[in-house]
Structure formats: structure tokens, C-alpha cells
Amino acid sequence: MKLSVLDQSPVLIGQTPADAFQQTTELAKHVDQLGYHRYWVSEHHSTQSLAGSAPEVLVAHLAANTQNIRVGTGGVLLPHYSSYKVAEAFRVLETLYPGRIDLGIGRAPGGMPNVNYALNDGSYPNVEKYPEQVKELMAYVHGHDPYSLDVRATPQTETTPPIWMLGSSGTSARLAADLGASYSFAHFINGFGGTRAMDRYSNHFTPSIQQEEPQGNVSVFVVCAETEERAEYLASSLDVSILKIEQGAKRDGFPSPEEASQYSYSIFEKERVRENRQRMIVGNPEQVKERIEHLARAYNVNEIIVNTIINPFEERLRSYELLAKAFNQ
């Protein structure tokens, strides 16, 4: 089983985005030493609670501060950008850190609807072009000239960063299969229907210039502590945070468990927390290991990407450490 990391650079209440980036760097170093397989950073815009708005910049920084772990994006939101320019940026990264870069892409806006206009000169991006953009990107990344313009993404090197398509639905899975990309299902976003989406990807995969066989993984929220009771206590802040995101409430960061324990849930909110727990794995190391292995079997993958958001940060480091020990990393 391969364990990897998705880091959204969360800003904890009372801290700053600079603190979040310092923690992202420290966490990347920590899991690199623990033997995790890859480390992805996300793209979010116009939010006070997630600091990572430019993942390609963070990738360069994190690759320079780690030794072995693969580093990539989870992911670049392609409809906002030129496929050619994205290919060039990742060809630069691949040249600097050969064999260690992943190019994860998605088509979500990365924030509230107004973000779309800010990123696209006052217009809404044409997401219908996304499949064609991915084709362009794959061609440019692999040194091709898709429009016969005598234009290639440089620099050209011997290795090529693999493209991972990120999604949370069967539609994204089928697109990844049709285009011959690797596929990552965001179970931490959608806790239902993911196994069908992954089956759809595997059963309809078409070989491409990138790869001959399907390759998939799954990302999930995980909170691991020495005891189940401690894990539940730490996860309470994530419960409240997810609920506030769903309600569109203004947030200044992720609360501590002490603050979360003061929250008074309505009957409806308690039901939402119960449903949202389908997106999370919470428990002691033995429980978490068993549930991760069950998730991997259900999805028929050999890699799980762990997204852990815990306040305080030290408990987050500890969660990844306990998980690595449980899997004998």
C-alpha cells in the first residue's frame, strides 16, 4: 500500500497564511522522512482559510526542501489557464527535479463563482473546452506540436511529469479513461459513488502517449490519534469546518477542538455531520489502517492520499507519523 499526502495549506484560527506555508513546508519534510510516496498541494482562491492559491509555486518550493517524495498539484484548475503555459511551467519543474513531479489537473473554479470572472478577465471560462485542453496539455507536455505551429513546450528533457486528472464523479472518471490519463478520485469531497467512478475509469481506459494501463488513487480525510477518543476529539474541528463550508459561512480559519466543542448543532446539522463522516476516516492507528485498507479494496487501488486537517499543527504531524508506523512505512 502506498500512502501519499494532500495538503490544502489550512490556516488555523489565530494564525496567518505565512504560518500555513511554514507548516506545509515542515509537513512535507516530515512525511518525506516517513516514507510517504507523493505530496500534492491544492489550488483555492479568495479564501481566508486555505492559503494555497498558486500550487505550481508551492511545488517548486517543496521539491527544493525535500529529497525523495514526489511533489505535485492537486490540482491546477486548467480552464483558467493556457494549456501551453501550464505545460511549460511543469517542464521547468521536471527539469529541475526529474522524476519527482506530478501534474494534477481539475476543472473546478477553485472558489466562489466570482473567482471565475477574476481569473478570466471578467468572463466565465468555457469548461466545455476542458477535454480539448487536456488533450493539448498532454501533447505539449510530451513534446508534441498539436497544431503544427512549430511550437513546443520547453525545456525538453528525458523525463515527463505524468498528468493526473482529479475528479469526484463518474463524468470525470470517464474523461480520464478516454484521454488515457491517471485518475484521482476525491473521496474527501464526495463520499458516495466513488467506487463506481473508479470502475468506470478502469473498465473504459484507453492507452495514450502517457501510459498503457490505468492508474488510480483515492484521497480521503484522515484523523489518526493514539486512542479513538482522542481522534474523535481532534476531528470535531473538521466536522464544524466542513459544515460551515457547506453553509457558505465566512471563516477566518480552522478552529481548535476546544472551540469546536462549544458549537451547538441543530438536528439538521447533526445529520450533515453524520453524512460528512462518509468522507473521513477517524480512529486509532489500528482502526485507521483497517479502514484505509478497506477503502483501497473497495476502489481497487494500491494508493491512498491522506488529507489531514488538525488544530493544533503538532497533532497533524503526529497523525501522519502514527499512520506511517501502522503501515510500517
Side-chain angles (χ1 to χ4, degrees):
M1 172 73 68
K2 294 178 181 177
L3 294 178
S4 297
V5 176
L6 172 63
D7 181 8
Q8 296 177 289
S9 300
V11 180
L12 307 182
I13 280 184
Q15 298 188 359
T16 67
D19 294 324
F21 284 148
Q22 182 178 353
Q23 291 164 3
T24 284
T25 306
E26 185 175 344
L27 179 60
K29 293 178 179 179
H30 187 60
V31 297
D32 186 23
Q33 295 174 349
L34 290 172
Y36 280 75
H37 180 58
R38 66 178 98 238
Y39 195 100
W40 286 356
V41 288
S42 60
E43 178 176 337
H44 294 274
H45 300 284
S46 191
T47 172
Q48 301 300 312
S49 57
L50 300 172
S53 57
E56 67 281 7
V57 177
L58 270 179
V59 166
H61 171 72
L62 297 174
N65 281 274
T66 53
Q67 298 296 321
N68 301 304
I69 197 167
R70 297 189 64 89
V71 184
T73 50
V76 170
L77 304 179
L78 193 59
H80 297 313
Y81 312 114
S82 156
S83 297
Y84 178 67
K85 182 57 180 176
V86 172
E88 284 196 321
F90 279 80
R91 288 238 52 96
V92 169
L93 289 167
E94 182 69 20
T95 303
L96 290 170
Y97 308 101
R100 291 185 57 208
I101 302 299
D102 293 327
L103 173 47
I105 58 172
R107 61 180 171 186
M112 299 300 287
N114 56 337
V115 165
N116 285 297
Y117 299 105
L119 285 168
N120 293 275
D121 295 326
S123 300
Y124 197 89
N126 184 1
V127 295
E128 299 301 321
K129 290 179 59 180
Y130 181 64
E132 188 62 32
Q133 277 192 290
V134 180
K135 293 178 184 177
E136 293 173 358
L137 180 63
M138 190 172 290
Y140 282 130
V141 164
H142 284 266
H144 295 182
D145 180 15
Y147 299 111
S148 301
L149 298 174
D150 195 25
V151 171
R152 288 173 172 79
T154 56
Q156 296 287 306
T157 55
E158 293 182 359
T159 59
T160 301
I163 294 173
W164 285 80
M165 295 185 67
L166 317 180
S168 57
S169 70
T171 301
S172 59
R174 183 58 189 264
L175 181 58
D178 290 345
L179 299 181
S182 296
Y183 181 63
S184 182
F185 187 86
H187 188 92
F188 76 101
I189 293 176
N190 179 11
F192 303 93
T195 55
R196 291 193 299 274
M198 190 62 73
D199 286 343
R200 190 175 189 183
Y201 167 70
S202 300
N203 293 335
H204 293 89
F205 181 83
T206 301
S208 67
I209 54 175
Q210 174 171 293
Q211 62 198 69
E212 292 293 323
E213 301 291 337
Q215 182 178 6
N217 62 35
V218 179
S219 53
V220 61
F221 283 124
V222 175
V223 177
C224 185
E226 283 84 353
T227 67
E228 181 179 8
E229 292 75 19
R230 180 65 177 172
E232 288 289 340
Y233 174 70
L234 294 172
S236 64
S237 60
L238 187 56
D239 289 331
V240 172
S241 295
I242 293 175
L243 191 63
K244 291 302 181 183
I245 291 172
E246 293 179 336
Q247 295 172 345
K250 181 176 175 58
R251 298 180 303 128
D252 296 323
F254 288 84
S256 67
E258 292 82 2
E259 293 167 312
S261 66
Q262 302 302 311
Y263 188 83
S264 179
Y265 291 98
S266 68
I267 295 176
F268 172 78
E269 288 174 331
K270 288 180 180 179
E271 179 61 19
R272 285 304 305 159
V273 168
R274 188 190 68 79
E275 291 185 4
N276 284 332
R277 280 300 184 99
Q278 301 299 315
R279 302 152 58 182
M280 302 166 60
I281 294 176
V282 179
N284 63 42
E286 294 76 18
Q287 293 170 323
V288 170
K289 180 176 185 291
E290 179 182 353
R291 292 166 190 170
I292 284 178
E293 289 175 337
H294 176 77
L295 189 70
R297 287 193 299 269
Y299 276 90
N300 194 27
V301 298
N302 66 354
E303 180 184 3
I304 298 295
I305 300 184
V306 176
N307 183 0
T308 299
I309 299 178
I310 298 177
N311 185 351
F313 175 64
E314 291 73 20
E315 295 281 7
R316 192 172 174 214
L317 294 175
R318 182 61 175 157
S319 181
Y320 281 108
E321 184 178 339
L322 291 170
L323 188 59
K325 289 180 178 179
F327 279 91
N328 297 315
Q329 290 278 102

